[in-house]
Amino acid sequence: MEKFLPCLYAFLGCMSFCFIFQVRKPLFMVLCSAIGAVSWWVYLLTEPLGSETARFFTATIVVSVLAEVLARVLKAPATIFLIIGIIPLVPGGGLYYTMDYLINGDYPMFSRVGLQTAASAAAIAVGASLVTSIVRMLTWRRRAGKR
C-alpha cells in the first residue's frame, strides 16, 4: 500500500497530461498513464541503489522500452508514450528549490541541489536517448537487410 498510492497519483497525473497533450484514443490515454505509474513504481523499487541519478536512469530505460514496444504494437509514435510516461520523473521540485536557494543567496545549497537536479535531468535524457538510439539502429539494420 505504501508504494501503491504514489503510483496511483502518478497514473492520475499522467491522465491529466493526456488531456493537455490531446491524446484522443482512450486506450492510448490508459496506456500512457500506466507507463507513468510504472515509471514511478520502478523509481520507488530502485531505492536500494542509493543514487537518485541511477534511479532516474533505470526508470527512464524501463519507460523508454515500454514506449517503443507499445509504439510498435499499436502502430503509433513512441513519443506519445514516452513524454507522458516520464512526467512523474521530471525533477520539478529540484528546479524549484534550486531557484529558491539562488534567490535567497544560499549558494552552497544552490550548487548542491542544482547539480543533483541537473544530474537527474541528464539521467532522464540519456536513458531515453539510449533506448531510442538502440531501437533505431536495430530497425535500420533490419530494413537494410531486407533490401
Side-chain angles (χ1 to χ4, degrees):
M1 189 66 159
E2 182 179 310
K3 292 187 187 334
F4 174 73
L5 280 179
C7 294
L8 176 66
Y9 300 147
F11 181 88
L12 295 174
C14 289
M15 186 65 76
S16 350
F17 274 95
C18 287
F19 289 107
I20 292 171
F21 290 132
Q22 298 179 357
V23 177
R24 304 240 188 262
K25 295 184 179 179
L27 175 65
F28 286 10
M29 292 174 71
V30 170
L31 290 174
C32 290
S33 301
I35 290 175
V38 167
S39 73
W40 196 249
W41 181 66
V42 170
Y43 176 79
L44 293 175
L45 285 181
T46 55
E47 190 173 358
L49 289 177
S51 169
E52 198 165 300
T53 306
R55 294 170 69 190
F56 279 115
F57 182 71
T58 306
T60 304
I61 285 180
V62 170
V63 168
S64 298
V65 168
L66 286 173
E68 292 290 342
V69 167
L70 286 175
R72 299 307 181 267
V73 169
L74 299 173
K75 297 192 182 349
T79 53
I80 294 171
F81 305 106
L82 181 63
I83 301 260
I84 294 174
I86 63 171
I87 283 175
L89 300 175
V90 173
L95 291 171
Y96 172 81
Y97 287 113
T98 300
M99 291 299 109
D100 184 49
Y101 292 133
L102 176 65
I103 290 171
N104 291 327
D106 191 357
Y107 298 115
M109 286 299 290
F110 162 72
S111 61
R112 187 175 69 79
V113 174
L115 285 174
Q116 185 178 11
T117 303
S120 299
I124 293 170
V126 169
S129 299
L130 182 70
V131 171
T132 303
S133 298
I134 290 171
V135 168
R136 285 187 183 194
M137 285 189 316
L138 292 174
T139 56
W140 177 76
R141 281 193 175 174
R142 189 176 65 201
R143 287 180 186 164
K146 288 182 180 179
R147 291 180 190 169

